[in-house]
Amino acid sequence: MSPSRQGTTTLLGAEGARELIAFLTRSQQDGPQAGPDTAVIERAIEADGPVSRLRLRRPTSEKPTEPRLLDRHVLRLAPAPRPATGPPPPLFPPSTALLTDGLTALGSYQLPLDTKLLPLSQEDTLEEAVHRAAPLHVRVVVDLSREDPLQGPSERLLRLHDALFRTAKACAGLPALPESFVVIILGGIDADRVQHPSSGLFTGFTKSLALEWAASSVVAVVHEATVLKDAETDTAAESLAGQLLPVVSFAGGDRLLLKAVQDPGTAGAAAGAPRTVVAAGGGRGIGAVLLNALAHRDRPRIHVIGSTPLGSGTVDAAPARQDFIREHSTGPDRLTVRAANAAYDRLAAAAEVRATVRTLEEICGAGRVTYHACDLRDPDAVRRVVGRIEAVEKDGIDLLLNIAGTNRAASVAKKSLADFRTVRDLKVRTYANLKAAFGDRMPRRWCNFGSFVGFTGQNGETDYGSANDYLNTAAAHSAHRGAGEFTMGWTLWRDVGLGATPIMRRFLAKSAQFTAMPTPEGVGHFLHELDQVEPAPLTVLFGDAERATMELAAPGYLDFCRTPAQRPEPSPASRSARPPLPDFFVDGIVDRGPDRLTVLRTFSLERDAYLREHVVNGYPTLPGTFVPELAAQAAMHLVPGRVPAVLEDIRLDAFLRVYRPGRGETKKITARLVSSGPRESVVDVEVTGDVLAPGGQLLVKDRRHFSARVRLRDEPVTAPRWEHWDDQGAEPVADPYHLPNPAVLLSGVFVSTGDTRAHPHGRRARYVPDRPGIERWFSGLVVPSVLLDGLARTSVLDRSDGDWTPLAVPRTIRRIDLYGGHTDATLAAAGTRVELYSLPARLDLESAEDNRAVAVTADGDVVLQIKDMTGVVLGHVNQTTGEYRGRRSTAEETTP
């Protein structure tokens, strides 16, 4: 028995006692560096089971050491000001060569006639095309919208990545380098600022190429847009602008840069000792050192997966190289000196791995360390090894260390395609193969060994930079989905690995560009990161030498990183200057807390007579497109001082109707604060109401009508640009909602569209606001709700079964983006002409296919856009006769 902290007694049992004795014995034998000074015992007793497993609190990674040379930095995307430039240059100036395999991403984009399209087919053809074109500008368009982010890069994408390298290599052989080299990554980031995992392949390449080609404008633009036209203005502006970093992202209308924020992490944290560890790589070098440290501290079961066959040797040290070569380069079976050197390298590697495994087993115990020889680039081989490990480790894997990597530095001019693939593939394919092999049985924690080079790039490292930045974006994507994954960006180690070679040591001493990290410090950083209860997805280590190098290469970048992230509290003056909160849909607040708010709103035909102009199945009905306004007003009351920028996950579950005069319908609007930070506040809103019988009896309490998520910002989002379609091929289509029918009939202020027509690219119309009606009813709205209603209706302007046009009501909307702070009232008062567009050309609203609708001013500024709307078709109207044909069966009472 042992004394507990409460002074009572805890029974350990025979198994627990044996484990405790073994732990204390090992700690005493290993000395103060390997174990705690005092063993702190924690018991977790299961209420309905036998004696539970003994859990021993580990020593933390914080020990008195010499001052550290490197600081831990957390990487995250942050808003950055747009470069101060004049009118943007054309994206495809004269003498431009284009490389892409995503012609669908070009959409309707019209390339200049003199743009040279580079071929992707045979290897010699691409290089010959570059030499013939001798381009002054190169554009590479990458379409990630077709790439499954959960499957790793496809072979198609890796071929394009190969072609990117081959294009740069061919350009390096020209008499003069290109003036600009721009990589455009479409679908490379989402609205939550999470990059597509495969975007790192191209951003990492660009970072290193920008350092090699310092006299050229080399930049990668990672864009939320999935067609080139939508990214054109942003990319063109960046193509010749001065950059703090050669990678810029655009999401939600914001320009973003990667910021390195110094963050020491949580000292003395304890995330729990891993009991089972899988290391992909780690038999030699840095991995072996860190596995040794982890074994001393936690004594886990360890599985090392490596490409080195151990053979039948039993000796843990290879003979001297010169003796081996002398012996094997003479006699009848002699080898060439080169072949003898290669044979020696294999022998020495096997001996080193055997020594690592033997040492780990001595620390962890007999039978607790297993080595699996496997080519990590072979998906079938990795799957078989993982299967064998899982067959033994029934409780799953606590920690995976993705360590594998190799390096063959050379400029693009001198680097071979074979070397480029070798360096890239070892990290990229290893990661993808491990993910595929584990499937949905992922290790509880996943630590990738990345590099400082993945963050900043480095001369001669286009392949290594690509691979390591891929680990960055892949980890960030996984972490956003809730996986316990992170990537550590290492710098060079002084005593082990690449930094320990005599040549590299001389280079480090002479260049002063990198800090040579002592082994004890590297071990400390590693254990400290494992100890974080919630590790940051991306961290990088660097010190004074790296800071000086970055400041020289990118003046001002470190100042950008030091910018305070906290949003300052508004001053009393700014509070008094705030405009009054909107209250058209807020009768009164009935409940309020720091992170919640409930308001009531009673709808009646006397007060809300505009509902008579929006009739669904014979009843005055609130348009589903007014839900964003209800949600926005409640959110703004909860978080005063911010304005709606994005609405997401809008669900329209039940109509909000007023059935007869003199009988109001009272609804409850509940807002809950999800998060609030320097950039935005996120609020979830739900609209509910009681269902009453004609006699007033309660039938259903708090039936949900609508729900939505609102993202509030300090200021309206700057509008992106849109190029208007020409009208060639357009055919007039009457708006079916304006034709007499019993399903959905609009009149008055809701007759808001004109010049409605089908178009080869989709559908289009013109916004025709009823200014007197808007000023009478909707002058206090913050969302252009009448415009939103007309834009949503534009998506039904299709003919089916001959001359029939559907009448549909929205059911869900994935996302609505608001730009520029426009309202129906400001647009009507200014007489702003607004064009409405809906795409793709073929659209089935009852399916879950991607779709988009955009409202654009005559000057090309986007006012708002709808992404991925679904609906329910209630019936059809004949365009020629006006006849109405109802649907045989509808979910009329459950879908608005």
Side-chain angles (χ1 to χ4, degrees):
M1 66 181 71
S2 68
S4 73
R5 279 175 287 187
Q6 288 77 22
T8 58
T9 299
T10 300
L11 298 175
L12 297 180
E15 181 182 355
R18 283 193 297 269
E19 185 170 338
L20 174 60
I21 292 169
F23 177 83
L24 294 176
T25 301
R26 289 196 300 263
S27 298
Q28 185 177 19
Q29 292 173 346
D30 293 334
Q33 294 300 315
D37 294 333
T38 303
V40 182
I41 311 304
E42 291 182 348
R43 290 291 292 168
I45 304 298
E46 297 176 359
D48 59 350
V51 177
S52 63
R53 179 181 176 85
L54 177 71
R55 185 171 181 270
L56 304 170
R57 184 181 296 163
R58 312 178 276 159
T60 69
S61 58
E62 303 299 315
K63 299 190 182 96
T65 61
E66 296 179 1
R68 286 184 171 175
L69 302 178
L70 300 165
D71 299 311
R72 176 184 185 266
H73 297 77
V74 174
L75 301 181
R76 58 175 67 97
L77 288 171
R82 293 175 183 261
T85 60
L91 181 56
F92 293 87
S95 187
T96 295
L98 169 63
L99 175 70
T100 185
D101 72 342
L103 293 178
T104 57
L106 299 182
S108 60
Y109 192 94
Q110 296 296 317
L111 291 171
L113 294 177
D114 62 345
T115 300
K116 303 295 190 299
L117 188 62
L118 299 176
L120 280 173
S121 53
Q122 299 176 2
E123 296 199 359
D124 292 337
T125 307
L126 173 59
E127 283 75 9
E128 291 171 1
V130 172
H131 290 152
R132 284 195 304 270
L136 295 178
H137 307 276
V138 175
R139 301 294 181 260
V140 181
V141 177
V142 182
D143 179 12
L144 293 184
S145 65
R146 295 187 289 160
E147 287 282 313
D148 187 341
L150 304 183
Q151 296 298 319
S154 66
E155 293 301 320
R156 174 195 72 84
L157 195 67
L158 291 176
R159 284 194 299 271
L160 179 60
H161 195 245
D162 287 345
L164 171 64
F165 165 75
R166 291 164 49 205
T167 300
K169 183 176 177 65
C171 288
L174 296 173
L177 291 175
E179 295 176 10
S180 69
F181 193 103
V182 181
V183 181
I184 309 146
I185 306 170
L186 300 173
I189 189 170
D190 64 20
D192 293 325
R193 299 183 176 182
V194 180
Q195 288 185 229
H196 192 290
S198 293
S199 64
L201 282 170
F202 299 89
T203 55
F205 182 98
T206 303
K207 293 172 188 178
S208 292
L209 187 67
L211 293 173
E212 287 191 32
W213 293 3
S216 301
S217 177
V218 180
V219 64
V221 175
V222 185
H223 213 286
E224 184 183 5
T226 56
V227 293
L228 183 59
K229 177 56 67 179
D230 296 344
E232 180 184 19
T233 301
D234 292 330
T235 306
E238 300 292 339
S239 63
L240 295 177
Q243 302 290 347
L244 293 179
L245 282 182
V247 175
V248 184
S249 299
F250 289 88
D254 290 334
R255 180 179 187 265
L256 308 169
L257 287 182
L258 197 62
K259 176 182 285 190
V261 179
Q262 189 168 331
D263 182 349
T266 305
R275 289 178 288 184
T276 307
V277 175
V278 173
R284 301 185 291 145
I286 295 168
V289 170
L290 296 180
L291 282 176
N292 188 291
L294 188 62
H296 270 288
R297 193 180 72 166
D298 295 331
R299 271 77 173 187
R301 290 188 298 279
I302 298 176
H303 295 266
V304 180
I305 309 175
S307 59
T308 303
L310 296 188
S312 57
T314 58
V315 179
D316 293 345
R321 180 183 292 271
Q322 61 184 17
D323 295 336
F324 180 90
I325 293 175
R326 184 183 302 113
E327 177 183 349
H328 289 81
S329 59
T330 59
D333 298 323
R334 62 180 179 272
L335 303 173
T336 64
V337 173
R338 182 175 182 178
N341 264 303
Y344 179 85
D345 289 340
R346 292 191 295 271
L347 179 69
E352 188 177 353
V353 172
R354 283 195 298 271
T356 297
V357 172
R358 196 182 309 279
T359 300
L360 293 175
E361 193 167 43
E362 289 172 356
I363 300 169
C364 297
R368 293 177 63 83
V369 179
T370 306
Y371 180 80
H372 306 267
C374 169
D375 182 354
L376 288 161
R377 298 166 299 180
D378 182 342
D380 293 331
V382 172
R383 190 177 296 110
R384 288 191 295 270
V385 168
V386 169
R388 290 198 297 269
I389 294 172
E390 289 182 323
V392 175
E393 306 298 345
K394 301 295 187 182
D395 295 330
I397 307 303
D398 292 318
L399 173 65
L400 184 135
L401 301 175
N402 182 19
I403 302 171
T406 188
N407 181 280
R408 297 179 183 179
S411 67
V412 290
K414 297 180 178 179
K415 190 185 297 285
S416 69
L417 178 60
D419 282 349
F420 179 84
R421 288 171 171 167
T422 295
V423 173
R424 178 198 64 194
D425 288 358
L426 183 54
K427 279 189 175 292
V428 173
R429 293 188 186 274
T430 292
Y431 178 91
N433 292 342
L434 288 169
K435 284 283 182 176
F438 280 105
D440 59 359
R441 308 169 307 282
M442 284 295 163
R444 296 174 182 88
R445 287 220 171 173
W446 183 302
C447 173
N448 298 304
F449 279 35
S451 170
F452 181 82
V453 172
F455 165 45
T456 62
Q458 176 58 26
N459 276 304
E461 304 280 16
T462 49
D463 43 13
Y464 198 63
S466 297
N468 282 284
D469 210 16
Y470 171 78
L471 294 183
N472 287 339
T473 50
H477 189 273
S478 292
H480 182 73
R481 296 175 56 247
E485 182 172 337
F486 55 101
T487 294
M488 295 184 68
W490 294 103
T491 186
L492 288 169
W493 292 53
R494 184 186 66 193
D495 307 310
V496 65
L498 179 64
T501 63
I503 294 177
M504 185 56 69
R505 281 194 169 186
R506 288 195 295 270
F507 169 79
L508 292 174
K510 182 178 180 179
S511 69
Q513 292 183 11
F514 297 98
T515 305
M517 182 174 60
T519 299
E521 179 174 341
V523 169
H525 284 300
F526 173 69
L527 297 179
H528 179 65
E529 204 63 34
L530 293 187
D531 283 344
Q532 301 304 298
V533 177
E534 294 185 5
L538 306 180
T539 58
V540 65
L541 300 167
F542 59 85
D544 291 340
E546 288 80 9
R547 291 186 186 94
T549 301
M550 284 190 285
E551 188 60 31
L552 183 64
Y557 176 68
L558 292 178
D559 288 336
F560 167 74
C561 291
R562 297 186 190 105
T563 302
Q566 289 74 28
R567 180 166 64 104
E569 283 295 316
S571 65
S574 66
R575 288 194 186 97
S576 63
R578 287 174 179 165
L581 291 170
D583 59 4
F584 184 76
F585 288 121
V586 177
D587 286 348
I589 299 173
V590 296
D591 179 58
R592 178 189 284 276
D595 58 355
R596 71 181 190 283
L597 179 80
T598 302
V599 304
L600 296 181
R601 175 53 154 91
T602 299
F603 294 83
S604 70
L605 293 181
E606 295 72 26
R607 177 187 188 183
D608 301 291
Y610 58 87
L611 295 178
R612 297 179 183 272
E613 298 172 355
H614 190 279
V615 178
V616 179
N617 291 328
Y619 295 103
T621 304
L622 184 74
T625 50
F626 273 48
V627 172
E629 181 68 34
L630 272 70
Q633 291 197 15
M636 292 173 72
H637 278 265
L638 181 59
V639 187
R642 288 187 156 177
V643 296
V646 178
L647 295 108
E648 296 176 320
D649 301 327
I650 301 163
R651 298 190 60 84
L652 313 172
D653 296 318
F655 289 115
L656 196 163
R657 290 172 167 163
V658 180
Y659 288 92
R660 61 179 66 92
R663 177 182 168 181
E665 296 284 342
T666 299
K667 305 302 175 183
K668 184 165 61 176
I669 306 172
T670 304
R672 296 181 177 85
L673 185 65
V674 176
S675 65
S676 189
R679 173 177 174 265
E680 69 176 9
S681 300
V682 181
V683 180
D684 282 347
V685 179
E686 187 175 66
V687 180
T688 59
D690 295 341
V691 179
L692 304 177
Q697 300 92 341
L698 178 66
L699 298 179
V700 180
K701 179 73 173 173
D702 288 338
R703 181 193 190 189
R704 187 170 75 178
H705 288 278
F706 320 120
S707 62
R709 168 165 287 188
V710 184
R711 294 186 180 271
L712 301 166
R713 306 273 176 86
D714 292 327
E715 297 178 349
V717 176
T718 303
R721 302 283 295 169
W722 174 276
E723 183 172 331
H724 293 285
W725 298 345
D726 62 46
D727 228 21
Q728 185 175 359
E731 296 182 0
V733 177
D735 188 327
Y737 298 87
H738 302 164
L739 302 175
N741 73 87
V744 186
L745 182 60
L746 309 186
S747 59
V749 72
F750 294 109
V751 179
S752 58
T753 57
D755 200 14
T756 49
R757 54 210 189 273
H759 190 276
H761 297 328
R763 294 144 295 279
R764 64 177 303 183
R766 181 167 42 86
Y767 178 49
V768 185
D770 173 12
R771 181 174 178 180
I774 287 173
E775 290 178 345
R776 178 185 181 188
W777 296 112
F778 305 133
S779 61
L781 304 194
V782 296
V783 174
S785 303
V786 177
L787 171 61
L788 186 63
D789 185 68
L791 180 61
R793 295 200 314 273
T794 303
S795 294
V796 307
L797 298 175
D798 280 322
R799 286 184 170 90
S800 61
D801 295 334
D803 216 18
W804 296 90
T805 301
L807 286 161
V809 291
R811 185 171 189 174
T812 65
I813 301 175
R814 182 179 69 82
R815 182 181 174 97
I816 297 173
D817 291 279
L818 306 175
Y819 301 106
H822 300 283
T823 67
D824 291 315
T826 61
L827 291 169
T832 303
R833 178 174 174 174
V834 179
E835 297 291 330
L836 312 180
Y837 299 93
S838 168
L839 58 161
R842 303 293 300 176
L843 175 59
D844 179 3
L845 282 175
E846 294 191 315
S847 73
E849 65 186 29
D850 295 345
N851 58 79
R852 184 182 185 195
V854 186
V856 188
T857 68
D859 293 334
D861 291 329
V862 177
V863 176
L864 64 84
Q865 67 175 331
I866 302 170
K867 292 182 178 178
D868 302 337
M869 176 175 64
T870 67
V872 173
V873 175
L874 302 183
H876 292 78
V877 172
N878 190 284
Q879 287 283 319
T880 303
T881 66
E883 178 187 356
Y884 172 75
R885 182 175 68 187
R887 189 164 181 166
R888 293 182 179 178
S889 175
T890 69
E892 183 265 324
E893 288 301 326
T894 59
T895 306

